[in-house]
Amino acid sequence: MKLILFGPPGCGKGTQALIIKKKYNIPHLSTGDMLRSAVESKTQIGIKAKDIMDGGGLVSDDIVVAIIKERLMQSDCDKGFIFDGFPRTLSQAEALDKIVLDRKTKISYVIEFSVDENIIVERIIGRFSCANCGANFNETLNPTKRKDVCDFCGGRKFLKRDDDNEETIKNRFKAYY
């Protein structure tokens, strides 16, 4: 199964992708996660993308397509994958068409998410994850049962993305639309 999950930042694509990933044992390909990893690893692509991402903008199609193309060559994508946040532009969609044709396959489904912007802002500003197991929480909508203790693994270290602030979110909405 080859899926595209489409919708604005913070609408729940990543949450749903994790559920689908577990059920079908296919990789979840989040361009945002791949770019953040490249930034953290200080790769050439990561260095190019850092300033753009810090301002809430979208990196160039060339960079995104290069990351996707490279990732799809890995063997765990042979039986399927879930795109989360890709493609975002006509140019990316055209590049994906070419990649899919070259691989002699096709996209199975495209699922579009629609969520009220105010709810998304509340979700994004309050979200955090367990540094140990990656479980996702939200300060108001889905807090840990015991303060500062992960419900799943008992971890006590949590991560919050630097770009999860209202100004950056508004910029991401503008870029998305």
Side-chain angles (χ1 to χ4, degrees), residues 70-169:
E70 183 177 277
R71 180 62 179 91
L72 287 176
M73 300 308 287
Q74 296 177 17
S75 63
D76 66 336
C77 291
D78 289 346
K79 66 179 187 174
F81 48 80
I82 307 160
F83 280 131
D84 171 357
F86 179 83
R88 289 186 193 248
T89 66
L90 182 57
S91 174
Q92 289 178 10
E94 290 169 344
L96 178 59
D97 280 345
K98 182 174 177 0
I99 292 167
V100 167
L101 284 172
D102 289 348
R103 290 184 56 135
K104 297 181 172 113
T105 189
K106 64 181 182 170
I107 300 299
S108 308
Y109 301 99
V110 176
I111 302 169
E112 181 181 8
F113 292 71
S114 178
V115 180
D116 180 272
E117 232 177 80
N118 293 321
I119 292 171
I120 292 174
V121 169
E122 183 179 7
R123 282 182 182 174
I124 292 175
I125 289 174
R127 71 183 172 186
F128 62 98
S129 62
C130 175
N132 187 47
C133 73
N136 293 310
F137 299 96
N138 185 287
E139 293 166 3
T140 56
L141 302 171
N142 180 34
T144 56
K145 291 177 182 139
R146 291 186 347 198
K147 186 169 174 44
D148 298 327
V149 179
C150 177
D151 296 350
F152 300 96
C153 73
R156 294 182 173 270
K157 183 177 180 188
F158 294 94
L159 305 171
K160 187 164 177 62
R161 287 176 28 185
D162 292 337
D163 60 347
D164 281 353
N165 61 70
E166 195 159 355
E167 182 182 342
T168 301
I169 294 164

Side-chain angles (χ1 to χ4, degrees), residues 52-68:
I52 297 166
M53 291 169 60
D54 286 348
L58 297 176
V59 298
S60 73
D61 290 344
D62 293 346
I63 291 172
V64 173
V65 169
I67 284 178
I68 290 294

Side-chain angles (χ1 to χ4, degrees), residues 5 11-20 28 84 136:
L5 303 183
C11 71
K13 299 181 301 289
T15 300
Q16 295 305 312
L18 292 175
I19 293 167
I20 296 166
H28 167 210
D84 171 357
N136 293 310

Side-chain angles (χ1 to χ4, degrees), residues 31-70:
T31 53
D33 289 347
M34 287 188 263
L35 287 166
R36 281 186 289 279
S37 176
V39 167
E40 187 176 307
S41 301
K42 297 183 178 159
T43 66
Q44 264 187 331
I45 290 173
I47 292 166
K48 289 179 185 177
K50 184 178 181 350
D51 289 338
I52 297 166
M53 291 169 60
D54 286 348
L58 297 176
V59 298
S60 73
D61 290 344
D62 293 346
I63 291 172
V64 173
V65 169
I67 284 178
I68 290 294
K69 195 171 189 176
E70 183 177 277

